[in-house]
Amino acid sequence: MESRFSPSLFVDLYELTMMQSYFFNNKNDIAVFDFFIRDREGTPRRFYVFAGLEFLLEFIENLRFDEEDIKYISELGLFKDEFLDYLRNFKFEGDIFSVEEGRIVFPDEPLVEVVAPLPQAQILETALINLLQFPILSATKFARCFLVSKGKLLIDFGARRAHSLWAAQVAARCAYITGFHGTSLLSAGKKYGIPVYGTMAHSYIMTYEDEKQAFEDFARLYNGTVLLVDTYDVEKGVRNAVEVIQKLKDYGIKIRGIRIDSGDLIENSKKARKILHDAGLQDVFIFLSGGINEYKIKEILEAFPDLAGFGVGTEATVSADLPYLDCAYKLVEYGGIPRMKLSERKKTFPGRKNLKRLYKAGKMMCDVVIPFSNPDDMPDESELDSDFDSYEILLKKVVDHGQVVEKIEDRRKYIFYCRDRFMRDFDMLPEYLKKLEPPREGEKYPVLFGKELSSIIRSTERKIQESI
Amino acid sequence: MESRFSPSLFVDLYELTMMQSYFFNNKNDIAVFDFFIRDREGTPRRFYVFAGLEFLLEFIENLRFDEEDIKYISELGLFKDEFLDYLRNFKFEGDIFSVEEGRIVFPDEPLVEVVAPLPQAQILETALINLLQFPILSATKFARCFLVSKGKLLIDFGARRAHSLWAAQVAARCAYITGFHGTSLLSAGKKYGIPVYGTMAHSYIMTYEDEKQAFEDFARLYNGTVLLVDTYDVEKGVRNAVEVIQKLKDYGIKIRGIRIDSGDLIENSKKARKILHDAGLQDVFIFLSGGINEYKIKEILEAFPDLAGFGVGTEATVSADLPYLDCAYKLVEYGGIPRMKLSERKKTFPGRKNLKRLYKAGKMMCDVVIPFSNPDDMPDESELDSDFDSYEILLKKVVDHGQVVEKIEDRRKYIFYCRDRFMRDFDMLPEYLKKLEPPREGEKYPVLFGKELSSIIRSTERKIQESI
């Protein structure tokens, strides 16, 4: 669609005005920026799934300003020639540490940490947040569908109402990482090797005068197909399907299931099952779509478990009950000195960090945010409920002096790895987090701060309070 | 970012399985599909703004399957060689009629009508909905901000939390069409000629030991700039700004305004205004950002009108209170016969159509959906409250036998045209639609059906009821 996309111009103007000021004021020391999710009371999420790193790495590798970009920037009338020359030769040469894609994470945790000369770390802000925010949002939403799906088939049907073609591809990828079985979207199937699913739309039926003829023509072409039965009337549609199934049996043609896409899905499923049962077609499955989200999956399966699965569309693709994450990319250290923002309800935690996860009896026990320089830092003992069996450090170096450490050579293999990574974390997720409702007081996963980090936070805050 | 994007694979699998069935069953007659917004009770929108046509036209022009696509499709194991050959030579050769971008529209109206051989009309479904849905959603949301902005400056700040880089560009474009003054996003500025705005982030301040020094360095580089005052404490920040403003005045350096991005924006604005006033700096403006949406703009301006404007971010970019549109692309005619879907709550209106808008005293009076073949069709007189002064036909041919009728040669000029188109419609919008609340009973804009169309609907429904 785009003859050429300039990743470098995926920048808010203020990143460049700040950069020019850094440039002329020689503020080129090493800066550390953290990307994290903000904790907000009442947010309907007990856990999040980290995703999108692949897109960030792709962006870092392509971050350049070409002459067309420079010309545009120059015409804004804000930038001097010396700075434009600097941009001409710009590339990212810093380090980036990140949690792996597919991992379960929580608010207030450093998920990505950028360590680079100040202007280089600054310029990533807009793109980095954009490239991570939606994947995390999306993976988290799909993981919630997986959480309540009891092993049923889950297919992403959301492409048409994603906020762009690209968002649709990203969503299909996130759905697959978090336990979905496939997508309807061919471009995602091709790019990521995700299995693709789909049969017919209502329009197919409507091009025929006779629903049965439509079913028959389709089944003759696709042995083992699924028929959409609710174009005009679900009960009549199922009876028509039954007739066609019985007729085609003699020709060795099988119809594996029916799909219902409208009305009261529980009632319609019950009616359909009864008709199929009465016709001796117990093995024909029922697949549901239309307005499905995690709450509906849970409700439907509790009322009527005899289903093959769900096509999950719009509601999950746009994460309708939480269409954006409160997340940020903030300066936490500059020139070796921890930095901290004290804005109301938007405080940040200073200093270069890492993230440690403690396990007990095969389950996550708590996470500990620690200073990067002290992996042994631990929270005050009073904050730990019990001993832990093992621990793990979650931030890993993914970009070293501007070079991606492990290039993603094979996207298809990579997302299998991410999916496996998610499944392993999901197995270790404590039961109290496996709920759809917002966490109540005392039900939040403990994200603790190491003693040394806590002391850095306190002293930084004190110093700022004294200086302003 | 993408070395190559295959627009043709932006297709749900079922479009292709249906196409193959049409192909082998010789269902190649002319089909008509309508794209429309579904009316849903309680939706917080009194009007919508049509947008996204540019993207659809770009898609139509690029819709081809290359050998890599064919190879992928072939490997799915569902498609025969004869059909793959057909895809190899596929191009869209139909007609498309559309409302112009920037026009105010309503549910149940045909906004885009595709008239093409069935397989060609079918394959557009997924991409067409995707390429129109988000732009309409986004333009509508930004138009609501414009509606309550009382002429204040409105800048799109949402790039970072859009659902993809592309969505961010689209949102910036939609914001500009519906009355915003600019965007922070450079790629949108470059592509569409939208004015770009921006100064500094909190991180800029935090790299300094001293807020005043940060302000001063910045102002010396950008005469006439705006200072962000809430990094640590709003009141202290404003006092620091005042000191710097007064100091730099002697050097001929002006600071035009301050920005507040956190806390209680009304209270913080009042405090800031008082400090500025006491310092004799009445002409320094206050600009607000952080969690802004149309409801907040209205509330803030009612409480404290002495503001320059707003940076509108995430809430508008993802259309947080309505993150997707209930919209559809449905078959309404095939082989000259009107078609209709009767699924519960998902009925469609049959037959090829057009849309007529009636005006009275310079305001929109009502819209009338009419058969394409009868522009004179009118609703029953009992449905019309009064006489009308003039009328207009809203659907225009934009693709003729696969060729775009008016190529968009200059994107920058085109969006000025769309913006003007929006402004003209906005001027004619009746007062009862210029409210943020969901329309109550009797407050909906009348979308009526012509008598002839109503009779087509009734007879189609009757025929289907008899046949199933």
Side-chain angles (χ1 to χ4, degrees):
Chain A
M1 299 291 287
E2 289 288 309
S3 57
R4 186 185 151 277
F5 182 71
S6 316
S8 315
L9 286 191
F10 202 84
V11 162
D12 281 322
L13 176 61
Y14 79 177
E15 319 287 5
L16 288 190
T17 49
M18 287 189 276
M19 273 175 88
Q20 178 170 249
S21 175
Y22 297 148
F23 179 79
F24 285 110
N25 291 294
N26 294 313
K27 292 179 78 83
N28 203 37
D29 289 347
I30 295 295
V32 183
F33 279 74
D34 278 2
F35 173 79
F36 58 94
I37 299 167
R38 283 203 189 98
D39 200 4
R40 246 208 292 178
E41 220 45 60
T43 299
R45 298 292 182 265
R46 292 186 178 218
F47 64 89
Y48 296 84
V49 181
F50 181 72
L53 179 61
E54 176 182 341
F55 310 126
L56 176 62
L57 297 180
E58 197 183 359
F59 180 82
I60 296 288
E61 288 187 304
N62 288 285
L63 180 55
R64 297 282 185 286
F65 297 92
D66 67 19
E67 278 311 311
E68 215 183 272
D69 299 334
I70 299 289
K71 181 166 175 287
Y72 170 72
I73 293 169
S74 147
E75 286 166 2
L76 296 174
L78 290 165
F79 302 99
K80 302 185 182 183
D81 287 347
E82 218 180 321
F83 177 68
L84 294 173
D85 275 340
Y86 163 80
L87 285 185
R88 249 180 212 106
N89 300 309
F90 180 87
K91 57 184 175 180
F92 182 80
E93 292 170 316
D95 295 343
I96 301 181
F97 298 80
S98 174
V99 163
E100 286 183 293
E101 286 200 70
R103 293 221 71 148
I104 290 176
V105 295
F106 302 92
D108 286 345
E109 298 185 338
L111 303 177
V112 175
E113 194 158 84
V114 174
V115 182
L118 178 57
Q120 296 180 29
Q122 182 69 63
I123 201 175
L124 301 186
E125 183 184 31
T126 311
L128 182 145
I129 297 174
N130 181 290
L131 293 168
L132 297 176
Q133 193 258 164
F134 177 61
I136 296 172
L137 188 70
S138 175
T140 301
K141 181 75 174 176
F142 287 115
R144 287 162 59 82
C145 295
F146 174 73
L147 172 66
V148 293
S149 66
K150 300 185 174 170
K152 305 288 183 186
L153 193 71
L154 293 176
I155 312 298
D156 157 48
F157 274 9
R160 60 193 59 193
R161 289 202 196 81
H163 290 189
S164 73
L165 303 183
W166 196 87
Q169 283 208 161
V170 172
R173 177 183 182 276
C174 289
Y176 191 69
I177 288 177
T178 55
F180 272 54
H181 299 84
T183 179
S184 59
L185 181 61
L186 288 185
S187 72
K190 182 180 167 208
K191 184 165 182 181
Y192 297 112
I194 303 170
V196 290
Y197 289 77
T199 55
M200 60 171 66
H202 296 107
S203 56
Y204 180 82
I205 308 293
M206 290 156 74
T207 63
Y208 284 81
E209 303 309 308
D210 175 9
E211 196 175 37
K212 279 181 285 194
Q213 190 61 48
F215 289 165
E216 185 173 335
D217 280 1
F218 204 80
R220 283 183 180 277
L221 195 56
Y222 305 106
N223 200 347
T225 197
V226 177
L227 302 175
L228 178 61
V229 296
D230 69 338
T231 303
Y232 304 113
D233 178 279
V234 173
E235 290 192 56
K236 287 181 192 161
V238 179
R239 285 184 214 288
N240 283 338
V242 165
E243 271 191 54
V244 174
I245 292 169
Q246 283 164 337
K247 174 178 174 188
L248 294 183
K249 212 178 263 175
D250 299 342
Y251 299 88
I253 294 167
K254 196 173 159 54
I255 286 158
R256 287 189 305 135
I258 59 168
R259 173 161 79 98
I260 303 172
D261 183 57
S262 60
D264 180 328
L265 292 173
I266 295 171
E267 284 315 304
N268 282 341
S269 298
K270 285 181 182 169
K271 284 182 204 163
R273 176 52 72 209
K274 181 161 190 325
I275 296 168
L276 291 169
H277 186 273
D278 291 350
L281 297 173
Q282 287 84 345
D283 60 332
V284 173
F285 68 69
I286 301 172
F287 183 85
L288 300 181
S289 59
I292 300 290
N293 58 30
E294 68 271 43
Y295 305 100
K296 294 232 176 101
I297 292 174
K298 185 165 184 278
E299 183 198 339
I300 291 170
L301 285 179
E302 278 167 7
F304 189 76
D306 185 11
L307 295 166
F310 301 89
V312 183
T314 307
E315 287 270 335
T317 296
V318 305
S319 187
D321 68 333
L322 184 73
Y324 63 88
L325 275 188
D326 198 355
C327 59
Y329 176 76
K330 293 294 172 191
L331 181 78
V332 295
E333 190 176 300
Y334 176 61
I337 301 168
R339 309 282 164 157
M340 191 172 186
K341 181 179 162 190
L342 301 178
S343 315
E344 291 174 58
R345 276 171 290 181
K346 287 187 176 179
K347 266 196 195 182
T348 57
F349 302 113
R352 201 172 155 192
K353 307 182 194 67
N354 211 320
L355 183 60
K356 189 153 71 173
R357 178 160 291 171
L358 310 189
Y359 297 94
K360 172 87 181 176
K363 296 284 175 190
M364 299 175 192
M365 181 177 128
C366 65
D367 288 1
V368 186
V369 187
I370 54 175
F372 185 80
S373 56
N374 180 9
D376 296 331
D377 193 23
M378 282 293 284
D380 194 273
E381 272 176 34
S382 65
E383 291 193 86
L384 289 178
D385 287 345
S386 66
D387 284 348
F388 57 94
D389 301 334
S390 63
Y391 76 90
E392 196 187 0
I393 298 287
L394 296 194
L395 284 179
K396 293 183 178 158
K397 193 186 262 191
V398 294
V399 175
D400 184 25
H401 290 83
Q403 299 301 311
V404 173
V405 175
E406 279 190 74
K407 286 228 180 214
I408 297 168
E409 303 288 355
D410 184 337
R411 282 203 188 92
R412 294 172 169 222
K413 269 196 201 152
Y414 177 70
I415 79 158
F416 284 118
Y417 178 79
C418 299
R419 183 181 166 99
D420 180 58
R421 190 60 271 185
F422 167 74
M423 290 302 170
R424 283 184 284 149
D425 269 11
F426 189 78
D427 281 346
M428 293 187 288
L429 194 66
E431 287 308 310
Y432 72 94
L433 297 179
K434 291 187 170 175
K435 290 180 182 169
L436 298 182
E437 300 72 34
R440 279 166 300 195
E441 210 36 56
E443 283 185 334
K444 280 187 188 172
Y445 181 74
V447 177
L448 309 173
F449 286 74
K451 281 198 288 271
E452 187 181 324
L453 186 68
S454 296
S455 125
I456 294 171
I457 296 173
R458 279 194 304 273
S459 68
T460 307
E461 184 158 5
R462 204 178 317 119
K463 244 183 269 171
I464 294 170
Q465 295 290 15
E466 285 162 13
S467 75
I468 52 172
Chain B
M1 299 290 288
E2 290 287 310
S3 57
R4 186 184 150 279
F5 182 71
S6 315
S8 315
L9 286 191
F10 202 85
V11 162
D12 282 322
L13 176 61
Y14 79 177
E15 319 287 5
L16 288 189
T17 50
M18 287 189 277
M19 274 175 88
Q20 178 170 249
S21 175
Y22 297 149
F23 180 79
F24 285 111
N25 292 294
N26 294 315
K27 292 179 78 84
N28 203 37
D29 289 348
I30 295 295
V32 183
F33 280 74
D34 277 2
F35 173 79
F36 58 94
I37 299 167
R38 282 202 190 98
D39 200 4
R40 245 209 292 177
E41 221 44 61
T43 299
R45 298 291 182 265
R46 291 186 179 218
F47 64 89
Y48 296 84
V49 180
F50 181 72
L53 179 61
E54 176 182 341
F55 310 125
L56 176 62
L57 297 180
E58 196 182 359
F59 180 81
I60 296 287
E61 289 188 304
N62 288 284
L63 180 55
R64 297 281 185 287
F65 297 92
D66 67 19
E67 277 312 310
E68 215 184 272
D69 299 334
I70 299 289
K71 181 166 175 286
Y72 170 72
I73 293 169
S74 146
E75 286 166 2
L76 296 175
L78 290 165
F79 302 99
K80 301 184 184 185
D81 286 346
E82 218 180 321
F83 177 68
L84 294 173
D85 274 341
Y86 163 80
L87 285 185
R88 248 180 214 107
N89 300 309
F90 180 87
K91 57 184 174 180
F92 181 80
E93 292 171 316
D95 296 342
I96 301 181
F97 298 80
S98 174
V99 163
E100 286 183 294
E101 286 199 70
R103 294 220 71 147
I104 291 176
V105 296
F106 301 93
D108 286 346
E109 298 185 339
L111 303 178
V112 175
E113 194 157 84
V114 174
V115 182
L118 178 57
Q120 296 180 28
Q122 182 69 63
I123 200 175
L124 300 186
E125 183 184 30
T126 311
L128 182 144
I129 296 175
N130 181 290
L131 293 168
L132 297 176
Q133 192 258 164
F134 177 61
I136 296 172
L137 188 70
S138 176
T140 300
K141 181 74 174 176
F142 286 116
R144 287 162 59 82
C145 295
F146 174 73
L147 172 66
V148 293
S149 66
K150 300 185 173 171
K152 305 288 182 185
L153 193 71
L154 293 176
I155 311 298
D156 157 47
F157 274 9
R160 61 193 59 193
R161 290 203 195 80
H163 290 188
S164 74
L165 303 183
W166 195 87
Q169 283 207 162
V170 172
R173 176 183 182 277
C174 290
Y176 191 69
I177 289 177
T178 55
F180 272 53
H181 299 84
T183 178
S184 59
L185 181 61
L186 288 185
S187 71
K190 181 180 167 207
K191 185 165 183 181
Y192 297 112
I194 302 170
V196 289
Y197 289 77
T199 56
M200 60 172 66
H202 296 108
S203 56
Y204 180 82
I205 308 292
M206 291 156 73
T207 63
Y208 284 80
E209 303 309 309
D210 176 9
E211 197 175 36
K212 279 181 284 193
Q213 190 60 48
F215 288 165
E216 186 174 335
D217 279 1
F218 204 80
R220 283 184 181 276
L221 196 56
Y222 305 106
N223 200 346
T225 196
V226 177
L227 301 175
L228 178 61
V229 295
D230 69 338
T231 303
Y232 304 113
D233 178 279
V234 174
E235 291 193 55
K236 287 181 191 161
V238 179
R239 285 185 214 286
N240 284 338
V242 165
E243 270 190 54
V244 174
I245 292 170
Q246 284 165 337
K247 174 178 173 187
L248 294 183
K249 212 178 261 174
D250 300 341
Y251 299 88
I253 294 166
K254 197 172 157 56
I255 286 158
R256 286 189 306 136
I258 59 168
R259 173 161 79 98
I260 303 172
D261 183 58
S262 60
D264 180 328
L265 292 173
I266 295 171
E267 284 314 304
N268 283 340
S269 298
K270 286 182 182 169
K271 283 182 206 163
R273 177 51 73 209
K274 182 163 189 323
I275 296 169
L276 291 169
H277 186 273
D278 291 350
L281 297 173
Q282 287 85 342
D283 61 331
V284 172
F285 68 68
I286 301 172
F287 183 85
L288 299 180
S289 59
I292 301 290
N293 58 31
E294 68 271 43
Y295 305 101
K296 294 231 176 101
I297 292 174
K298 185 164 184 278
E299 183 198 339
I300 292 170
L301 286 179
E302 278 167 7
F304 189 76
D306 185 11
L307 295 166
F310 301 89
V312 183
T314 307
E315 286 271 334
T317 296
V318 305
S319 187
D321 68 333
L322 184 72
Y324 63 88
L325 275 187
D326 199 355
C327 59
Y329 176 76
K330 293 294 173 191
L331 181 78
V332 296
E333 190 176 300
Y334 176 61
I337 300 168
R339 309 283 164 156
M340 190 171 187
K341 182 180 162 190
L342 301 178
S343 314
E344 291 174 58
R345 277 170 291 181
K346 287 186 175 179
K347 266 196 194 182
T348 57
F349 302 113
R352 201 173 155 192
K353 306 182 194 67
N354 211 320
L355 183 60
K356 188 154 72 173
R357 178 159 291 171
L358 310 189
Y359 297 94
K360 171 87 181 175
K363 297 283 175 190
M364 300 175 191
M365 180 177 130
C366 65
D367 288 1
V368 186
V369 187
I370 54 176
F372 185 81
S373 56
N374 180 9
D376 296 331
D377 193 22
M378 283 293 284
D380 194 273
E381 273 176 34
S382 66
E383 291 193 86
L384 289 179
D385 286 345
S386 66
D387 284 349
F388 57 95
D389 301 334
S390 62
Y391 75 91
E392 196 186 1
I393 297 288
L394 296 194
L395 284 179
K396 295 186 176 156
K397 193 185 261 191
V398 293
V399 175
D400 184 26
H401 290 82
Q403 299 301 310
V404 173
V405 175
E406 279 190 75
K407 286 229 181 213
I408 297 168
E409 303 287 355
D410 184 337
R411 282 204 187 92
R412 294 172 168 222
K413 269 195 202 153
Y414 177 70
I415 80 158
F416 284 118
Y417 178 79
C418 299
R419 183 181 166 98
D420 179 59
R421 191 59 272 186
F422 167 74
M423 290 302 170
R424 282 185 284 150
D425 269 11
F426 188 78
D427 281 346
M428 293 187 289
L429 194 66
E431 287 308 310
Y432 72 94
L433 297 179
K434 290 187 171 176
K435 290 181 182 169
L436 297 183
E437 300 72 34
R440 280 167 299 195
E441 210 36 56
E443 283 186 334
K444 280 187 189 172
Y445 181 74
V447 176
L448 309 173
F449 286 74
K451 281 198 288 271
E452 187 181 324
L453 187 68
S454 296
S455 126
I456 295 171
I457 296 173
R458 279 194 304 273
S459 68
T460 307
E461 184 158 5
R462 204 178 317 118
K463 243 183 270 171
I464 294 171
Q465 295 290 14
E466 285 162 14
S467 76
I468 53 172

